[in-house]
Amino acid sequence: MNEVLLRSLTPSVLGILVRRGADFAAAEDAVQDALVEAVRVWPTDPPRDAKGWLVTVAWRRFLDATRADTARRRREDLVDEEPAPGPAPAVDDTLQLYFLCAHPSLTPSSAVALTLRAVGGLTTRQIAQAYLVPEATMAQRISRAKRTVSGVRFDRPGDVATVLRVLYLVFNEGYSGDVDLAAEAIRLTRQLAAAIDHPEVAGLLALMLLHHARRAARTAPDGSLVPLAEQDRGRWDTESIAEGVEILQRALARDRLGEFQAQAAIAALHADAPTAEETDWVQIVEWYDELARLTDSPVVRLNRAVAVGEADGPRAGLAALATLDDTLPRHTAVAAYLHERDGDLATAARLYSEAAQKAPNLAERDHLTRQAARLNARRCL
């Protein structure tokens, strides 16, 4: 079963159903049913035209649900004739669906959550982790969003800021390695940048390119994580870095600073340093100050504490960290790093072990466990 193929086809199939008259919530349910059926049938009877098969099965599921629901019988007269099996139109509706999911009837946070779940292909757990909320809370939020848009006309697209937030979170999930969505997020952001002259769209595209340029160096051959300071910078994609920096410079020249431009500026400073030791941490702290002013995000302040530790010494970083909630994700890992920089290996090793237990994925957990083991070995020498 090719899960990557199913994931890549989902937005287009969903878009076809919506254009044929299905309301979004019902179309999503029908597509999910079709995906379940594909998982069951395809291993023994793969279709010649995967997309056409999914459209046909999803449309049948939608028709069945419509006829069974008396509250929607009025809409039944408007349903188009069932499409015959065969090749489906090669239309990319993904970016349009992102805007449609960002419906004005939804709050921005609900619109982002709904889009990530319905179009982006992320699980409820992954979305909850991105929002720093329990999975049950996010499940309720998505369910409320579905109920809100059920039956509304999707003829009023949402705003650019909400779509940018969705693309940013999709990219981050792909960049983490859990789901290969980073390249898709870059593709869609390029489409958006070509269609809309907006400095934050350019800022987000620059940010994605600068981060993606380092992807090949982020893991060792055995799959283990390689921290930024230890990465082989010769493996960074210099063309992507140059493109990202050029896009960023044009956006910053418009003097309409936003959070994605500020993040891209930080990424550009990392990319510009020939070695980790030559990183301009003082300027990075200044950009984090700008970013904190724009977002008031605890995650930004956590990253700022690391930068302060590099620019002004580990104790200054620990002082900045002390002002933050210690339940913040990766707070313990940052504390471990700063204590190690300060020479307190016993505390650092203990905190690395604690951080490993809280890690959101296996690769990060293994990395933190190795850090703890390394320090414990040094202490025994």
Side-chain angles (χ1 to χ4, degrees):
M1 170 53 57
N2 192 331
E3 294 183 5
V4 174
L5 173 61
L6 286 176
R7 190 183 301 279
S8 68
L9 291 175
T10 296
S12 185
V13 174
L14 186 58
I16 290 171
L17 264 64
V18 170
R19 290 202 312 276
R20 288 183 176 275
D23 69 81
F24 189 88
E28 183 198 5
D29 291 339
V31 172
Q32 292 299 320
D33 287 345
L35 295 177
V36 171
E37 185 70 5
V39 171
R40 185 182 71 82
V41 172
W42 286 11
T44 57
D45 186 19
R48 284 196 296 263
D49 176 19
K51 184 175 178 181
W53 189 97
L54 285 171
V55 169
T56 299
V57 173
W59 188 251
R60 286 172 179 162
R61 293 294 189 272
F62 167 72
L63 290 178
D64 290 343
T66 299
R67 295 187 181 106
D69 188 348
T70 57
R72 298 178 183 176
R73 289 189 183 279
R74 182 177 302 176
R75 216 179 287 125
E76 195 171 27
D77 294 335
L78 302 176
V79 175
D80 292 336
E81 213 173 81
E82 178 183 327
V91 178
D92 185 357
D93 302 294
T94 308
L95 192 57
Q96 178 188 5
L97 285 170
Y98 274 50
F99 274 96
L100 292 177
C101 282
H103 197 271
S105 63
L106 296 172
T107 64
S109 61
S110 294
V112 171
L114 177 62
T115 313
L116 290 171
R117 183 70 185 93
V119 187
L122 273 64
T123 66
T124 303
R125 174 171 299 196
Q126 289 167 333
I127 302 168
Q129 289 174 345
Y131 269 90
L132 309 180
V133 299
E135 183 176 354
T137 300
M138 183 53 64
Q140 292 174 356
R141 185 179 300 177
I142 294 172
S143 295
R144 286 196 299 269
K146 287 182 180 180
R147 289 195 298 270
T148 298
V149 300
S150 179
V152 304
R153 289 185 59 82
F154 280 85
D155 55 0
R156 292 189 299 153
D159 66 343
V160 174
T162 301
V163 173
L164 288 179
R165 177 62 51 189
V166 174
L167 290 169
Y168 174 67
L169 291 175
V170 169
F171 175 83
N172 281 346
E173 194 58 50
Y175 192 66
S176 73
D178 292 334
V179 183
D180 188 13
L181 295 171
E184 173 68 358
I186 292 174
R187 183 183 72 85
L188 292 173
T189 307
R190 282 191 187 279
Q191 285 187 9
L192 188 59
I196 300 176
D197 184 19
H198 192 298
E200 272 294 81
V201 175
L204 179 59
L205 179 57
L207 175 64
M208 289 179 175
L209 291 170
L210 289 164
H211 277 311
H212 207 58
R214 302 199 301 259
R215 187 165 191 173
R218 292 183 69 244
T219 55
D222 62 0
S224 60
L225 292 180
V226 180
L228 176 61
E230 300 172 19
Q231 289 177 15
D232 178 0
R233 301 186 177 216
R235 299 185 64 195
W236 289 0
D237 183 347
T238 54
E239 290 186 7
S240 291
I241 291 173
E243 182 185 4
V245 169
E246 181 182 357
I247 292 171
L248 173 64
Q249 288 175 339
R250 290 201 303 266
L252 291 175
R254 300 177 66 175
D255 198 23
R256 289 168 54 194
L257 183 64
E259 62 173 298
F260 295 123
Q261 294 169 73
Q263 287 192 57
I266 293 169
L269 286 168
H270 283 297
D272 187 55
T275 66
E277 293 73 23
E278 295 173 86
T279 303
D280 188 347
W281 286 106
V282 173
Q283 194 171 351
I284 287 176
V285 171
E286 292 175 355
W287 275 111
Y288 270 122
D289 288 339
E290 288 287 345
L291 190 55
R293 180 183 60 81
L294 290 166
T295 66
D296 195 29
S297 165
V299 174
V300 168
R301 297 187 185 281
L302 181 69
N303 292 331
R304 179 185 179 278
V306 176
V308 168
E310 299 290 353
D312 301 328
R315 295 197 177 181
L318 287 168
L321 187 66
T323 65
L324 303 175
D325 185 349
D326 61 8
T327 63
L328 193 65
R330 296 188 172 88
H331 184 285
T332 307
V334 170
Y337 173 74
L338 291 172
H339 276 290
E340 179 184 357
R341 289 279 319 281
D342 196 38
D344 187 351
L345 302 189
T347 300
R350 175 178 57 80
L351 290 172
Y352 275 130
S353 295
E354 292 179 11
Q357 298 173 16
K358 306 173 186 177
N361 56 64
L362 181 61
E364 191 168 334
R365 186 189 71 188
D366 289 347
H367 170 71
L368 293 168
T369 300
R370 282 193 294 271
Q371 295 294 86
R374 174 180 57 81
L375 293 187
N376 283 326
R378 282 179 59 187
R379 292 171 57 215
C380 292
L381 294 178

